[in-house]
Amino acid sequence: MTTQRTASEQTDDPTLEADVFARDCTSRPVLQNVASRWGTLALVALREGPYRFSALRRRVDGVSERMLAQTLQALERDGMVHREVRETIPPKVEYTLTELGAQVAEHLEALIVTLETNMARVAEAQESYHRD
């Protein structure tokens, strides 16, 4: 007889391997946070170095203040981003990548570079798709 494990039981058992294709795998929400439009852009921007919130918002053009705050909070919770509050007047908050975040951001940047350098091929494929 097999028994189903809850998500909390899965994370409590270090012998279980993550399988993002499994419906209840705890890696799925992490992938969603990282691979979201704003998650990807924030992580790759942070590869450039530490950012304060307002500067990061300017760098990630088009993101709302609320969405960036939610994105950074999720990435911090998942161990990708470190948030440091500097005790100045007024207080300054700075965001940096953790070791894990840097590793993930490196792969995301490679994906971005691949897409950007192949946009002519993408445009050609899109035109062909709409013609057919």
Side-chain angles (χ1 to χ4, degrees):
M1 179 172 118
T2 60
T3 58
Q4 295 289 336
R5 293 177 183 241
T6 66
S8 63
E9 289 172 327
Q10 289 176 6
T11 57
D12 293 340
D13 186 349
T15 63
L16 293 177
E17 290 186 27
D19 179 3
V20 74
F21 292 100
R23 176 189 348 222
D24 295 327
C25 184
T26 56
S27 64
R28 271 196 184 182
V30 177
L31 178 63
Q32 183 176 347
N33 292 336
V34 166
S36 72
R37 171 179 29 177
W38 305 124
T40 297
L41 293 175
L43 286 168
V44 174
L46 287 169
R47 283 198 80 207
E48 300 167 359
Y51 269 98
R52 291 184 50 203
F53 184 87
S54 57
L56 184 59
R57 184 165 176 236
R58 283 190 300 275
R59 180 69 176 112
V60 182
D61 190 26
V63 67
S64 70
E65 187 173 318
R66 180 175 177 260
M67 186 54 66
L68 182 58
Q70 288 176 347
T71 298
L72 289 169
Q73 186 177 40
L75 293 171
E76 182 182 8
R77 183 192 61 234
D78 293 340
M80 307 284 169
V81 170
H82 174 72
R83 178 181 183 267
E84 183 177 341
V85 179
R86 299 190 183 254
E87 298 300 325
T88 59
I89 298 176
K92 295 180 181 176
V93 178
E94 193 171 80
Y95 296 90
T96 56
L97 292 174
T98 63
E99 186 178 321
L100 175 59
Q103 184 179 355
V104 170
E106 180 180 354
H107 292 285
L108 292 171
E109 185 171 36
L111 174 63
I112 288 170
V113 168
T114 301
L115 291 173
E116 288 177 341
T117 58
N118 286 284
M119 282 310 297
R121 291 171 67 185
V122 170
E124 184 180 300
Q126 290 171 341
E127 287 176 25
S128 174
Y129 178 84
H130 290 295
R131 276 195 308 261
D132 296 340

